[in-house]
Amino acid sequence: MTITFDDALQNHALDDLRKDEEEALVKLLSDKYGLPYIDLRGTAPEPDAMQLMKETDAREAGLVPFKVVGQKLYIATLSPDNARMEDLLRPFEAKGMTILLFLCSHASLEHVLSRYADLTQSSKVESGMLELTPEKMKTLMASFQDIEELKKVFDELINSQVLYKTTRMIEMIVAGAIKFDASDIHIEPEEKSVRLRYRLNGVLEDVAFFDFGALKNITSRLKLLAGLKLSTSANAQDGRFSINLGEVEVEVRVSVIPGNYGESFVMRLLDPRHSVSNLDNIAFPAKLRELIDQCLSRPNGVILTTGPTGSGKTTTLYAFLHKVYSTEIKIITIEDPVEYHLEGITQTQVDVKKDYTFLSGLRAALRQDPDIIMIGEIRDEDTAKVAINAALTGHLVFSTLHTNNAAGTIPRLIDLGVNPKVIAGALSLALAQRLVRTLCPTCKQTYITPEKEARTITNILGAMKTSGKEDSMMGHIPETTYNLFKAVGCPKCDNTGYISRIGIFEAIKMNADIEKILITNPSEREIALAAQNQGIPTLREDAIIKVLDGVTSFDEVARVVDLYGE
């Protein structure tokens, strides 16, 4: 029998034995000194506590701050018999803080002290900027090609002992989101682990799972970036930061809410490279595009876009601004936040802390003699009334409103307290929109519709023909079956079957028929009936036309639009 000695393995085992012996000794000493024992080797110290003391002072005194709760500061030390410690703690006690002292081993102390490296890195982000050069992004992105490979990268990183691991984790989270054109990043603590998801083309997809130890460091760093309170975890917070990619800056909006298992983070990425600034790049139906051009050429009036969060409303408004921009006119925007910067336009950002709201911003903007005003959102009665009055006094106003469809715009304005008699003279056009994923041209496959789908399509096309929308039907006629395309999946679309997104739209133009019923406080249904002769496809009609044209799939539009309603 041959006995083989592995020096590295033996040394590692001896090292572990010495550490365990030291921990046992510190436990005995804790009784002698009357201090509670603590093992910090597997814990994540709080950055906001560590920031209270310089690393050089902590090393010199042999102690570390590892937690702070209100006015209570938790300190771990090698020995309480330390004159230097008294000097360091005296200023905290003078501020009314309570010092909770614990006895720890050298291993625990070094574990916490090693985290000062991450803290030093994080101090560079207090300006709200995460520096990621094009060269660094290229290197990060080269380590994965698809979501599955990115998951493996995260697994390796989580299990590694890489210096500045927290920084690298955040860089990988951002690099993956930018490479895959994610609109949102979701970090969601669950019962057993933390879930990382990206919203890709409007749909959430799992990217990685990691432990709660990594979560504390990541969220602390993100809070520093976004200018949020590190010590607050019981309340919702909102912030923002920028990602400097060298040639462009990506704005990130951060939302934090408390959950059952920890704080849930959602970060929305606003990449100016993906902004649509040309109306020709938006898939409006021909009749609707004609009406939009007419309304944009007017010197006054209100154009409202409606739809749920993430339906592309702001992108549409920016395209309007790009269309009407001229050096001869004054354009002012009030946004929350400024998503994309437009040359030659005065853009302002809502700041509730400084009492600069949509309402106060709108009132201030009107004193600047603007020709065109863009309001990010009409949320309340006062803002709605001032916007309508602005349109009546010679201004062209763009804004958004939260309703389900175009017909709901007028009842919503009335609910907000706007006089129905003045809506007719102010409102030019009410748009509603959604975003649907477009089929991958490489892998999409044809199929013959089953009976239920065919009946739905036939009913919608029949309604279009009855209401005089043949032009929008683009040659499609009602049939008993249809040849459509379905999603399959391939490497080019990351096996989803879809790439990018396209808008589907409906609109209602103010005319005499609608004006007649305004005084009766009409419902959405009554307004939709009055607008039937305008020849503009509804959301479901525009969606079905795009399905028949092979742009998207029936299943995709059914996910976004009610195809079976009246």
Side-chain angles (χ1 to χ4, degrees), residues 71-75 89 92-93 97-101:
Q71 289 293 94
K72 294 180 180 180
L73 179 60
Y74 293 70
I75 299 283
L89 300 185
F92 298 114
E93 294 171 338
M97 298 188 76
T98 301
I99 305 299
L100 301 177
L101 206 58

Side-chain angles (χ1 to χ4, degrees), residues 40-47 50 66-67 111-112 115 212-217 220:
L40 296 171
R41 290 176 295 173
T43 64
E46 295 183 359
M50 295 176 64
F66 64 91
K67 184 178 180 181
H111 171 74
V112 178
R115 291 299 183 268
F212 285 92
L215 174 67
K216 182 64 177 178
N217 292 331
S220 295

Side-chain angles (χ1 to χ4, degrees), residues 146-217:
D146 53 34
I147 294 293
E148 291 304 317
E149 290 188 6
L150 181 59
K151 291 178 181 178
K152 294 178 181 177
V153 172
F154 276 117
D155 288 340
E156 293 173 359
L157 186 57
I158 289 167
N159 296 320
S160 71
Q161 297 298 321
V162 177
L163 192 61
Y164 310 137
K165 184 192 291 189
T166 302
T167 300
R168 180 54 60 89
M169 286 280 289
I170 292 174
E171 288 175 346
M172 290 303 303
I173 290 171
V174 170
I178 292 176
K179 179 168 184 173
F180 299 129
D181 292 333
S183 59
D184 304 278
I185 301 170
H186 295 246
I187 301 175
E188 304 159 323
E190 298 180 342
E191 184 176 4
K192 297 181 179 179
S193 62
V194 181
R195 182 191 296 265
L196 171 66
R197 296 196 287 176
Y198 293 157
R199 188 177 293 279
L200 305 173
N201 291 324
V203 178
L204 286 170
E205 184 169 346
D206 287 336
V207 175
F209 292 86
F210 49 88
D211 57 47
F212 285 92
L215 174 67
K216 182 64 177 178
N217 292 331

Side-chain angles (χ1 to χ4, degrees), residues 32-43:
K32 173 185 175 182
Y33 289 116
L35 292 177
Y37 160 79
I38 191 167
D39 184 356
L40 296 171
R41 290 176 295 173
T43 64

Side-chain angles (χ1 to χ4, degrees), residues 114 121 159 184 223 300 475 526:
S114 68
Q121 287 290 104
N159 296 320
D184 304 278
K223 283 184 175 182
N300 60 281
E526 290 171 324

